[in-house]
Amino acid sequence: MKILAVLLCTTALGGCSLFSKKPAPAPAAVAAAPAPAAALNTTPAAASAKAAAKSDGKGFLPPGESGNVAIDSIVVVVNDDVITQRELSNRIKTVTARMKAQNVQMPDAADLRRQMLERMIVERAQLQMAKEMGVRVDDQQLDRAIGRIAEAQKLTVQDLRNQMEKDGTPYAAFREDIREEIIMQRLREHEVDAKIQISEAEVESFLAAEKAAAAEQFEINISQIMVRIPDNATAEVIAQRRARAEEVMRQLRTGADFAKMAATYSDASDALQGGVVGWRQPERLPPVFAEALTKLKPGQVTPIIKSVGAFHILKAVDRRSLAEAQAVAAVQQTHARHILIKVTPTMSAADAKRKLAELKERLDNNAAKFEDLARLVSNDGSAAKGGDLGWLAPGDVTPEFEAAMNNLKIGEVSQPVETSFGLHLIEVLERKSDDVSKERERNNARQAIRERKVEEAAESWQREVRDRAYVEFRTEDGAAAAK
């Protein structure tokens, strides 16, 4: 079970940029390289599971100390190391418990034992190879990695340690398990990832296949009318809001202009823009919206749709294939920043809206700087950067956020905007329109090809490591069974 994951995307509302890795240094340089800067992502339960399997150590119980406990035995010899029956049993026990907790159907005991043993053989062979190459992780690097694990779980290192020990896993065993995971990750990066090459012909072939697939996909230009349901609304209030939505629908059916109805009745932030949301792919919309919209022809509207906090009427303004959308060369990009206040049990949407309105008033009166307020009150990861989200392309943020942002002038601060993340104040810093779509396409293609190649090459490399290793299986009486 791998618990080491590299997190390449840190901005909640921004897009991810995936960069190709630089060629790895020579083995000696790899040994001295610092721990990966990316965060480690795991859960205390998952981390403790594998560590627990190793907590008993490898050796044997001396006869004088064993008492009624059976002496551990060797199951497999891997080069100059061994896997013991106790290690194997503990790993099987933890995996079995996890599979049962996840309601995963269990394989036969013999099949589970065989698969687990093979995994342990490959891991042991990789660690030996890393040792020969001088790949190592010192305690300082390990401490930083464990700190990132704790941070990803919103825990302190001491909290994480307490959780390990509560689950019955010695903290020292957990540390060594993480050390081994990092070592194997570095080894793979050096032996596999850094050797991946991608030709321009492969990129062209990938793009051609993507274009053919895009011809069958589509996106819809959407407008909306939203009638909000107040927090903690009574049945009577909900009925009143539904009646308002039904009145809107009645007027639409008799020929009323949708944009005018949106400006008159909608509670959405885009109301005064005629309810324009823009082009969206169905799979990027809530399923109930996507299902209703995909049945419409351009110009038609959906029935009233109820969500958790509102009644919605959506209009399919237009429809086009994804290939047509991708043919648009100029990409409008916006440099923006925001202040986010999340809705919590102690902070209602109404309270968050009032608080942001107060902040906007201070900004409008030049009584405060946007970046200072963002650092003080924003609940987003961008707070440390003054709320700066960097350059945003279409589709990088939620539809509500993007619609409000696109309607702002440079230097203008929005009214409070509600999205699934909470409520925002948005400021547009600058805009640009660059002919970057082609290069962006090619970069995305290279990354997709790289991910596929790395996965295939890693599997092949692991088989080679396994095949090169001296592996000797032992029978219950300790004799060699096979090599």
Side-chain angles (χ1 to χ4, degrees):
M1 176 184 66
K2 290 289 181 274
I3 62 172
L4 179 65
V6 181
L7 303 182
L8 298 173
C9 179
T10 59
T11 303
L13 292 174
C16 295
S17 297
L18 304 178
F19 300 93
S20 301
K21 294 181 174 65
K22 296 180 180 178
V30 172
L40 297 171
N41 181 25
T42 186
T43 62
S48 66
K50 189 175 177 185
K54 304 169 62 178
S55 61
D56 288 326
K58 282 188 281 193
F60 304 92
L61 294 174
E65 299 179 8
S66 62
N68 294 327
V69 180
I71 297 176
D72 202 0
S73 60
I74 295 175
V75 178
V76 179
V77 176
V78 184
N79 293 325
D80 58 355
D81 201 353
V82 298
I83 297 172
T84 68
Q85 181 60 51
R86 182 173 299 158
E87 290 178 289
L88 176 59
S89 297
N90 286 341
R91 285 287 290 271
I92 291 174
K93 186 184 301 182
T94 54
V95 169
T96 299
R98 187 179 70 249
M99 293 178 72
K100 287 181 178 178
Q102 296 173 349
N103 294 319
V104 177
Q105 187 173 357
M106 295 291 299
D108 292 339
D111 291 333
L112 178 60
R113 183 182 189 278
R114 173 180 53 78
Q115 290 193 28
M116 184 56 65
L117 193 55
E118 276 300 313
R119 179 182 298 181
M120 294 175 72
I121 290 169
V122 172
E123 288 176 0
R124 200 61 56 88
Q126 288 181 25
L127 290 170
Q128 292 171 352
M129 182 178 181
K131 183 177 180 180
E132 292 170 2
M133 294 177 62
V135 182
R136 61 182 179 272
V137 175
D138 61 33
D139 287 342
Q140 186 177 10
Q141 296 165 350
L142 180 60
D143 288 340
R144 287 198 297 267
I146 292 176
R148 290 192 292 272
I149 292 175
E151 183 180 358
Q153 300 303 318
K154 295 180 173 55
L155 300 172
T156 65
V157 172
Q158 186 60 50
D159 290 338
L160 183 64
R161 180 171 187 164
N162 293 342
Q163 184 65 56
M164 294 293 106
E165 294 173 350
K166 181 181 178 181
D167 292 340
T169 301
Y171 186 66
F174 166 72
R175 282 176 58 84
E176 291 311 304
D177 182 65
I178 297 301
R179 193 194 306 271
E180 290 183 0
E181 290 286 352
I182 298 173
I183 288 172
M184 288 190 289
Q185 174 70 14
R186 290 187 183 178
L187 178 66
R188 199 201 77 164
E189 289 173 353
H190 181 267
E191 292 295 298
V192 179
D193 298 26
K195 298 177 181 178
I196 298 296
Q197 295 183 346
I198 301 168
S199 69
E200 289 303 307
E202 288 177 299
V203 174
E204 293 293 343
S205 177
F206 181 91
L207 290 174
E210 286 281 291
K211 187 175 181 180
E216 299 179 2
Q217 296 177 294
F218 65 92
E219 59 181 16
I220 304 170
N221 190 7
I222 305 165
S223 290
Q224 69 166 336
I225 297 171
M226 181 180 74
V227 177
R228 190 183 307 281
I229 300 172
D231 295 337
N232 303 316
T234 63
E236 182 180 0
V237 171
I238 294 174
Q240 291 172 355
R241 305 305 287 175
R242 176 177 283 278
R244 180 183 175 95
E246 289 173 346
E247 171 59 20
V248 173
M249 180 61 76
R250 185 191 66 77
Q251 294 190 46
L252 289 173
R253 285 173 178 159
T254 58
D257 180 71
F258 192 95
K260 182 179 179 180
M261 290 293 98
T264 304
Y265 292 100
S266 182
D267 297 319
S269 59
D270 51 34
L272 295 180
Q273 289 74 47
V276 174
V277 174
W279 291 96
R280 293 291 181 270
Q281 296 177 40
E283 56 268 25
R284 297 189 60 185
L285 297 170
V288 65
F289 291 177
E291 183 180 358
L293 283 164
T294 53
K295 299 175 182 177
L296 302 182
K297 296 178 181 179
Q300 293 182 329
V301 299
T302 66
I304 297 172
I305 301 171
K306 185 179 184 299
S307 67
V308 174
F311 294 103
H312 309 260
I313 301 172
L314 307 177
K315 180 179 181 180
V317 179
D318 201 359
R319 184 173 175 141
R320 66 186 180 188
S321 72
L322 198 56
E324 290 177 301
Q326 292 172 347
V328 179
V331 175
Q332 179 73 42
Q333 292 181 303
T334 304
H335 184 193
R337 57 187 177 185
H338 78 140
I339 298 171
L340 169 67
I341 297 181
K342 294 182 178 180
V343 177
T344 67
T346 59
M347 174 65 74
S348 69
D351 291 338
K353 190 173 183 178
R354 278 194 296 271
K355 185 172 182 179
L356 288 177
E358 292 171 2
L359 297 181
K360 177 172 168 53
E361 185 176 356
R362 294 179 63 188
L363 292 170
D364 291 344
N365 294 328
N366 295 318
K369 293 183 178 180
F370 194 101
E371 58 269 29
D372 293 338
L373 294 180
R375 291 188 182 97
L376 284 172
V377 305
S378 184
N379 300 141
D380 187 54
S382 63
K385 297 182 292 183
D388 196 333
L389 296 172
W391 285 99
L392 303 172
D396 283 346
V397 291
T398 62
E400 302 89 348
F401 190 102
E402 184 173 319
M405 178 180 70
N406 289 343
N407 287 315
L408 293 174
K409 299 175 182 177
I410 294 175
E412 183 181 1
V413 178
S414 72
Q415 296 293 333
V417 177
E418 186 171 1
T419 72
S420 56
F421 292 95
L423 283 98
H424 314 251
L425 285 185
I426 307 168
E427 182 182 17
V428 171
L429 301 176
E430 49 187 329
R431 285 193 173 97
K432 64 181 180 181
S433 183
D434 293 336
D435 189 9
V436 297
S437 60
K438 296 299 180 185
E439 186 56 34
R440 208 172 169 190
E441 261 188 357
R442 299 185 74 82
N443 287 338
N444 290 341
R446 289 187 189 95
Q447 183 60 35
I449 296 169
R450 169 172 289 278
E451 290 174 358
R452 185 191 67 223
K453 281 191 165 188
V454 164
E455 184 176 350
E456 293 172 351
E459 290 181 3
S460 177
W461 171 71
Q462 287 179 353
R463 285 196 300 270
E464 291 176 8
V465 172
R466 167 66 169 84
D467 292 343
R468 288 199 302 265
Y470 172 82
V471 178
E472 180 182 287
F473 294 86
R474 295 292 182 91
T475 58
E476 292 185 1
D477 60 6
K483 296 184 180 179

